[in-house]
């Protein structure tokens, strides 16, 4: 069933990057908000949200296959959750995440993503190999996994949010609402593949 598209500037009490002429995929945006709110019930000391983009390698540009690409992104988050759970990474028990497939600026698909991690365990996202030092920290881990799975694909760090109060949560949700915009997506009722995905963490009881 197709998602409902809405042109609104607010959803579930949060300001979002939408409005007239800026359609939002409603169920995607609601899922993103629900995950951020649910995570706060598990880690009351705060959340680190890392926004990043994943680009596919050039050799996949000539024959784009959305179904293959979405299988790849699912494998990426599965491996990321496994690696973050290792004791060497402080054994993060739970993460939240989301991805959307976009084709606005290139024939090959690329993905806009975010992950949410416990603030006390992940205060800094680290660096990518394209920055001043070789990849390390969470961003280095993201880059290592993606390059292995996508045979040389690239990673860009967009922004890191540290959610410690209502104001910082609202700022982070406004930023990640960009992922739910329709423009640039391979969106249609009969696309034949997934356009977005997210974690399904439920609130702590």
């Amino acid at each position: 069933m197709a998602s409902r598209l809405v042109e609104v500037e607010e959803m579930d009490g949060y300001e979002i990057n939408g409005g007239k002429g800026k359609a939002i995929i409603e169920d995607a945006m609601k899922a993103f908000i629900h995950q951020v709110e649910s995570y706060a019930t598990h880690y009351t000391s705060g959340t680190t949200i890392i926004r990043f983009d994943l680009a596919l390698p050039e050799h996949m540009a000539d024959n784009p296959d959305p179904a293959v690409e979405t299988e790849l992104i699912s494998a990426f988050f599965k491996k990321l959750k496994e690696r973050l759970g290792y004791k060497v990474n402080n054994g993060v028990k739970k993460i939240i995440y989301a991805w959307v497939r976009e084709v606005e600026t290139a024939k090959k698909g690329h993905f806009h993503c975010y992950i949410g991690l416990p603030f006390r365990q992940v205060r800094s996202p680290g660096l990518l190999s394209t920055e001043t030092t070789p990849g390390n920290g969470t961003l280095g881990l993201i880059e290592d996994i993606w390059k292995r799975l996508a045979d040389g694909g690239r990673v860009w760090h967009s922004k890191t949010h540290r959610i410690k109060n209502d104001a910082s949560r609202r700022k982070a949700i406004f930023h990640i609402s960009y992922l739910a915009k329709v423009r640039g997506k391979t969106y249609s009722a009969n696309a034949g593949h997934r356009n977005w995905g997210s974690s399904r963490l439920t609130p702590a009881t």
Side-chain angles (χ1 to χ4, degrees):
M1 185 174 68
S3 302
R4 191 163 77 105
L5 307 183
V6 295
E7 296 184 356
V8 297
E9 297 179 353
E10 184 177 301
M11 189 173 293
D12 293 350
Y14 295 93
E15 182 183 2
I16 62 172
N17 189 11
K20 188 175 182 180
K22 298 168 66 177
I24 292 291
I25 303 171
E26 184 181 41
D27 57 350
M29 189 66 244
K30 284 183 174 292
F32 302 162
I33 292 171
H34 180 260
Q35 288 303 280
V36 172
E37 291 183 333
S38 294
Y39 207 62
T41 68
H42 292 270
Y43 297 101
T44 57
S45 61
T47 304
T48 296
I49 297 283
I50 303 174
R51 257 283 292 120
F52 59 95
D53 299 331
L54 302 174
L56 290 158
E58 291 298 323
H59 72 266
M60 297 184 73
D62 295 332
N63 298 293
D65 187 333
V68 170
E69 292 168 15
T70 51
E71 286 181 9
L72 183 63
I73 195 70
S74 295
F76 166 79
F77 278 109
K78 180 179 179 180
K79 179 60 68 174
L80 181 61
K81 286 187 288 184
E82 290 175 356
R83 294 278 296 275
L84 284 169
Y86 292 169
K87 289 184 179 180
V88 70
N89 293 313
N90 295 319
V92 177
K93 302 297 184 183
K94 298 179 177 67
I95 75 168
I96 54 171
Y97 65 88
W99 60 266
V100 296
R101 183 179 185 274
E102 187 157 327
V103 292
E104 185 174 39
T105 57
K107 290 183 179 179
K108 66 178 180 294
H110 60 280
F111 298 93
H112 297 301
C113 312
Y114 79 80
I115 59 172
L117 303 164
F119 175 75
R120 289 182 182 272
Q121 290 178 266
V122 189
R123 292 175 181 267
S124 173
L127 297 170
L128 296 171
S129 62
T130 52
E131 297 177 306
T132 56
T133 63
N136 59 60
T138 304
L139 283 171
L141 179 61
I142 289 169
E143 185 178 49
D144 178 65
I145 294 170
W146 184 244
K147 284 187 172 182
R148 290 174 185 271
L149 289 174
D151 191 19
R154 298 187 64 189
V155 180
W156 285 274
H157 175 218
S158 174
K159 189 177 181 62
T160 296
H161 293 270
R162 294 175 177 83
I163 300 176
K164 295 184 288 184
N165 51 38
D166 181 65
S168 54
R169 181 172 60 255
R170 290 180 178 279
K171 187 174 182 180
I173 286 175
F174 181 85
H175 185 204
I176 64 178
S177 68
Y178 174 84
L179 275 66
K181 72 181 181 66
V182 173
R183 184 171 60 88
K185 305 296 186 302
T186 54
Y187 175 85
S188 68
N190 59 348
H193 59 270
R194 297 172 65 198
N195 302 290
W196 66 275
S198 76
S199 52
R200 299 180 181 180
L201 184 71
T202 57
T205 56

